[in-house]
Amino acid sequence: MLNKVKDGIWSGRTDHRENRSSFRYHQIIELPQMDDCKPNKETCVIIGFESEEGVRRNKGKVGAAKAPDALRSELANLPWAFPPHKQLADIGSVTCTEENLEEAQRQLGETITKVLNKQMTPIILGGGHETAYGHYLGARNYIGSQAKLGIINIDAHFDLRSYDEQPSSGTMFKQILDQDPNSCYCVVGIQRFGNTQELFDRADELNVKYILEESMNVSQIDKVNETLNDFIEENDYIILTLCADVLNAAFAPGVSAPSPFGLDPSIVRSIIRSVTAHKKTLSFDISEVNPLLDEHNRTVKLGAYLVNEAITSFLRRDIK
């Protein structure tokens, strides 16, 4: 079920009530019902996914279900730099209840498909990284079974674990590759010692493209973006997912699995800008921000800034 955004989430400082150049997110955000949204190629639509069931199943630290509203609260105060025809809407959150992850993912997918059918851009605020499977379902249902779908994941982990017992936040991409021959997977930021050799072997067996964290410093970001652009060109459509545990723990302590040697935020920002600027990219999600583990709201704030980068890049695209 898609639940309406809680009252008071989209609130913040008001510098001016009429001068649009002084507006912030909370002054321009629209809160429509999904069915009332009118098709508009120049609209980004926020969808929350309040789930941590996948993290629990993966034996991680829970708390990510609190992230959608926490991210909204931080986004609310950011400046808005677009004219009135560039719009932002928030249609609410899908909530995982009674440990029924699969149903919640299905509902998220249906919601994303509806947004895409109206030619709008979904911005999904997870939740555990099980968010990515619902994200995939929505995109695949929209583009049809025959189109080539490329999935770009900014992550320290492959998330290619076996799902023989049950799906979790560590199984999504194996699920996708097993069931969908027209999908391709590229993950950047992989930690050499954050994944077992079995997972590296499985990635090779499944023809996964990946870039290790240790080869992703600021001086090499152009090469990384070039590799990603080649991947994009090989596919008909792209979805982008960001797992916050890819970030260096000094900047992002509020995640289930912190990365001491994680990526610098400037590198992640560059990748987001590059991928979302491409016309083939349909949508973006951020996952694994955990407000319960955060320090002074640092991870939530960084997450909101990275979401802002995606929204800004999408809305700056030439849509002709």
Side-chain angles (χ1 to χ4, degrees), residues 247-319:
L247 293 154
N248 188 297
F251 300 99
V255 298
S256 179
S259 297
F261 294 118
L263 298 181
D264 186 280
S266 63
I267 294 174
V268 176
R269 176 173 63 175
S270 177
I271 295 170
I272 291 172
R273 285 177 173 177
S274 177
V275 175
T276 55
H278 204 289
K279 292 181 181 180
K280 289 185 179 181
T281 304
L282 296 172
S283 47
F284 169 79
D285 81 65
I286 182 171
S287 302
E288 296 289 349
V289 172
N290 190 329
L292 300 186
L293 300 175
D294 209 1
E295 297 174 1
H296 308 294
N297 218 39
R298 286 191 292 153
T299 312
V300 172
K301 188 166 188 175
L302 175 56
Y305 272 65
L306 293 173
V307 171
N308 178 63
E309 292 288 346
I311 292 171
T312 299
S313 183
F314 277 125
L315 292 180
R316 283 180 176 165
R317 293 195 305 200
D318 181 1
I319 63 169

Side-chain angles (χ1 to χ4, degrees), residues 145-164:
S145 61
Q146 298 306 307
K148 292 184 65 176
L149 177 63
I151 302 164
I152 296 177
N153 179 23
I154 312 172
D155 201 338
H157 307 101
F158 284 115
D159 291 337
L160 291 169
R161 295 178 183 275
S162 171
Y163 51 96
D164 291 342

Side-chain angles (χ1 to χ4, degrees), residues 45-287:
V45 177
I46 290 174
I47 309 164
F49 188 57
E50 298 175 339
S51 172
E52 57 193 30
E53 173 60 18
V55 178
R56 186 192 68 78
R57 294 181 184 183
N58 201 32
K59 300 178 174 60
K61 299 174 182 177
V62 298
K66 302 290 185 183
D69 280 351
L71 290 165
R72 287 177 168 114
S73 294
E74 284 295 335
L75 283 167
N77 266 310
L78 293 182
W80 184 254
F82 292 98
H85 68 281
K86 304 278 189 178
Q87 298 178 354
L88 181 68
D90 187 341
I91 58 172
S93 294
V94 173
T95 304
C96 179
T97 58
E98 298 180 352
E99 302 181 358
N100 195 345
L101 173 59
E102 292 78 5
E103 174 60 19
Q105 289 171 323
R106 184 190 65 78
Q107 291 176 5
L108 176 61
E110 289 182 352
T111 303
I112 291 170
T113 301
K114 289 179 181 178
V115 171
L116 289 169
N117 280 335
K118 295 195 175 189
Q119 303 301 301
M120 301 183 291
T121 302
I123 305 292
I124 306 104
L125 309 180
H129 207 184
E130 63 264 28
T131 302
Y133 189 72
H135 186 177
Y136 154 78
L137 290 176
R140 176 51 80 190
N141 288 338
Y142 169 68
I143 66 176
S145 61
Q146 298 306 307
K148 292 184 65 176
L149 177 63
I151 302 164
I152 296 177
N153 179 23
I154 312 172
D155 201 338
H157 307 101
F158 284 115
D159 291 337
L160 291 169
R161 295 178 183 275
S162 171
Y163 51 96
D164 291 342
E165 293 184 12
Q166 59 183 173
S168 74
S169 63
T171 66
M172 306 82 59
F173 302 109
K174 188 174 191 304
Q175 292 174 255
I176 293 168
L177 294 174
D178 283 351
Q179 72 188 38
D180 187 348
N182 289 321
S183 66
C184 299
Y185 178 39
C186 177
V187 54
V188 296
I190 286 293
Q191 290 278 340
R192 187 178 295 277
F193 297 107
N195 301 269
T196 62
Q197 185 58 50
E198 179 186 18
L199 291 171
F200 277 98
D201 293 342
R202 184 168 295 156
D204 292 336
E205 291 168 4
L206 294 170
N207 296 315
V208 174
K209 293 180 172 65
Y210 60 89
I211 303 176
L212 295 172
E213 162 275 324
E214 61 197 53
S215 63
M216 292 179 63
N217 56 48
V218 174
S219 65
Q220 295 172 312
I221 189 60
D222 288 343
K223 184 176 180 181
V224 171
N225 283 330
E226 182 179 338
T227 300
L228 290 175
N229 191 65
D230 290 342
F231 178 79
I232 292 171
E233 292 300 328
E234 294 170 0
N235 290 279
D236 299 318
Y237 298 93
I238 296 293
I239 61 174
L240 175 62
T241 176
L242 166 63
C243 183
D245 69 16
V246 76
L247 293 154
N248 188 297
F251 300 99
V255 298
S256 179
S259 297
F261 294 118
L263 298 181
D264 186 280
S266 63
I267 294 174
V268 176
R269 176 173 63 175
S270 177
I271 295 170
I272 291 172
R273 285 177 173 177
S274 177
V275 175
T276 55
H278 204 289
K279 292 181 181 180
K280 289 185 179 181
T281 304
L282 296 172
S283 47
F284 169 79
D285 81 65
I286 182 171
S287 302

